[in-house]
Amino acid sequence: MALPQLGAWVLEELPKLNQAILRDVLAPRVLTDALHEVVLPDLPLPERLSAEEAQRLVVNLGFVGASVARHYQERTPGGKETPERAFEGLAAGTEQIPFQRYFAGLADRTGTGHDHRDSYASLVRWNVGTVEVRLGERTVAVLPGVFDDGRTRTYTGTTGEENFFALVKKGEAVERAVNDLLEPLATPETRWASPEAVSRVRTATVLVDALRDLFLEFAALPPEKSMPPEQFMDVFRQFAVHWKPGDIPPSGALDVEALKRDFLLGIAIPDYATHVRRLFPGLLSEEQAALESLMAQPTLPQRMAADLGVDLDRLPASGLTELRRLVGHHPVLADWYDLLTAHARAAGSHLMLSKKFLFKPQRQRDAAGLGDRPLVSNRSGTTGMTETYLERLTRARRQHVLAPLRPALDAEVREDAPLSAVRSDLLEIAPVEVRLVS
Ligand code: HEM
């Protein structure tokens, strides 16, 4: 099969085969036979492909690999312990390169440091079309994909999967816009009270609120417009299996823009950097480098406090009068408080999504004695995060370094001088629009 035909096969045929196999209408063998006989034999050597062709093939064969791996592990006793065996006998090209070695060659050919398996980047960012984030007339982020067919590849051809992938990519695009606004502030030249710096922080806050709105709107949609929780748990997540013991399956936890935001804004979780480094194999090289660089720097609130001469460690013990005086003296603290609070609220809404689509229904299954899925557990995320850990992350974001300012910043206080006076220059920030444009 030539590359365009393979692309069409992954869009049209693979989902049908997966559906039929999951319903026990066809044996998994039908899929591996098709791969063996029709799909893989004519594939070119990775070094013959351009980087873009290799990216597209990584996406397409990522869906193929995940399907083969899932069906094998689900049907073979002990299959979870020997994931590589799923690919035995599958080979690509006239040279008959074993599937996993061929996939590794493709991943290397992309020049991105992509993992030697499917990933968040291939399933979400490369797979879904271009997402654009606009603030009124202004485009503040564009996140392209690697296809120009306006389609989203899925495991089983359901709109639920398409909706989920689109939601995650939209979220990432909004987060990219936030980080693009904030990252330039990480320099010794930043004048924190300057109109430009304040505008960046307030615009970032509006965008983080828009991220939260995306989460809330998805949760409020009827299942046929989002994804039914059973489909998420029993169909979708079950494709996030290991290809090799210990590798990192795709997960929202690999959304690099969210990780960057945590390091820019700060998060009081001991060993958070260690936790994030554990996920590095699932991230692209430039994502790893960007995170390493942010991890080595002070957070933006720390830089700001140091430049303004504000002792963050003193805040928890400060009285209301002192806090009010401080904010009156440095009104920009209120803007940063708003941003950190919006960040925590967005985390809270994401936690709600994880509960609604995963943890709560699984608790109901447990209570009804229905147990868990044997392949990918629904008691934790695909990289192993539990509900308790997600709650801990959310709590840590809520307990941000400026949280002690809360009593000085509550709504009534803001109505009074001096805050309302110094903040009367509140910008009009245009409404946010997040669109899948192709
Ligand atoms: C219905 C929608 C969603 C559900 C059910 C959901 C569920 C989950 C679960 C179960 C985890 C733990 C993952 C693991 O162990 O690897 C997780 C983590 C994560 N997800 Fe989602 N997620 C959803 C949407 C999103 C979206 C749209 C984004 C990006 C904008 C996102 C970003 C993240 C991040 C960054 C983490 C790491 C944990 C954290 O930083 O709080 N998720 N999600």
Side-chain angles (χ1 to χ4, degrees), residues 356-367:
K356 179 180 163 88
F357 285 89
L358 183 64
F359 297 120
K360 269 192 199 154
Q362 180 54 41
R363 250 198 313 281
Q364 282 160 0
R365 287 182 182 184
D366 282 332

Side-chain angles (χ1 to χ4, degrees), residues 168-180:
V168 180
K169 181 145 176 182
K170 283 179 181 175
E172 193 191 353
V174 176
E175 295 177 314
R176 166 84 61 97
V178 171
N179 293 340
D180 285 352

Side-chain angles (χ1 to χ4, degrees), residues 262-425:
D262 275 335
F263 289 111
L264 284 167
L265 299 184
I267 179 162
I269 291 268
D271 290 336
Y272 189 64
T274 312
H275 154 80
V276 170
R277 284 201 187 94
R278 194 176 59 79
L279 302 175
F280 268 17
L283 292 169
L284 305 179
S285 313
E286 67 177 29
E287 297 175 336
Q288 297 176 21
L291 289 170
E292 281 293 357
S293 149
L294 289 176
M295 285 175 191
Q297 296 178 30
T299 67
L300 292 175
Q302 282 169 340
R303 282 178 188 270
M304 175 200 50
D307 291 350
L308 298 180
V310 173
D311 184 351
L312 292 173
D313 295 334
R314 268 177 60 103
L315 295 187
S318 302
L320 183 57
T321 315
E322 200 181 337
L323 293 176
R324 279 187 176 178
R325 197 175 320 119
L326 187 65
V327 179
H329 202 58
H330 299 295
V332 70
L333 286 172
D335 294 303
W336 281 90
Y337 173 90
D338 286 345
L339 174 59
L340 296 178
T341 307
H343 172 54
R345 278 155 47 100
S349 303
H350 172 268
L351 178 65
M352 173 278 296
L353 276 181
S354 72
K355 286 178 187 280
K356 179 180 163 88
F357 285 89
L358 183 64
F359 297 120
K360 269 192 199 154
Q362 180 54 41
R363 250 198 313 281
Q364 282 160 0
R365 287 182 182 184
D366 282 332
L370 296 173
D372 195 6
R373 299 284 308 193
L375 196 51
V376 178
S377 170
N378 284 321
R379 293 183 184 134
S380 59
T382 48
T383 67
M385 294 183 178
T386 58
E387 185 175 19
T388 316
Y389 187 68
L390 291 180
E391 284 168 347
R392 219 178 121 210
L393 287 175
T394 305
R395 237 184 353 261
R397 290 170 183 134
R398 230 175 262 143
Q399 290 160 356
H400 56 78
V401 286
L402 298 181
L405 291 177
R406 187 167 298 135
L409 288 172
D410 63 24
E412 295 118 73
V413 175
R414 285 189 199 217
E415 298 307 311
D416 289 328
L419 260 192
S420 60
V422 289
R423 303 194 74 211
S424 60
D425 58 337

Side-chain angles (χ1 to χ4, degrees), residues 56-201:
R56 286 192 284 273
L57 203 46
V58 160
V59 178
N60 281 322
L61 291 191
F63 279 95
V64 168
S67 306
V68 170
R70 174 190 177 161
H71 299 312
Y72 163 80
Q73 294 182 39
E74 211 157 46
R75 308 282 177 124
T76 315
K80 246 174 109 168
E81 280 68 55
T82 53
E84 297 103 321
R85 296 198 58 185
F87 304 105
E88 271 176 11
L90 272 190
T94 43
E95 296 77 6
Q96 287 291 289
I97 304 172
F99 182 85
Q100 280 182 298
R101 184 133 56 84
Y102 183 78
F103 193 95
L106 279 179
D108 294 346
R109 185 69 188 159
T110 67
T112 60
H114 188 282
D115 203 358
H116 292 170
R117 54 156 301 144
D118 60 343
S119 73
Y120 171 92
S122 66
L123 285 175
V124 178
R125 197 177 316 127
W126 296 355
N127 177 21
V128 180
T130 304
V131 172
E132 212 176 76
V133 184
R134 294 172 69 85
L135 265 177
E137 295 300 299
R138 217 168 108 209
T139 301
V140 285
V142 179
L143 212 54
V146 298
F147 297 89
D148 55 8
D149 56 6
R151 304 281 303 274
T152 300
R153 280 129 285 273
T154 61
Y155 304 109
T156 63
T158 55
T159 50
E161 284 182 49
E162 286 184 36
N163 296 338
F164 184 81
F165 284 140
L167 167 75
V168 180
K169 181 145 176 182
K170 283 179 181 175
E172 193 191 353
V174 176
E175 295 177 314
R176 166 84 61 97
V178 171
N179 293 340
D180 285 352
L181 282 162
L182 295 179
E183 276 187 274
L185 297 174
T187 117
E189 281 74 51
T190 297
R191 297 288 158 262
W192 299 95
S194 68
E196 201 226 318
V198 171
S199 158
R200 284 180 180 272
V201 178

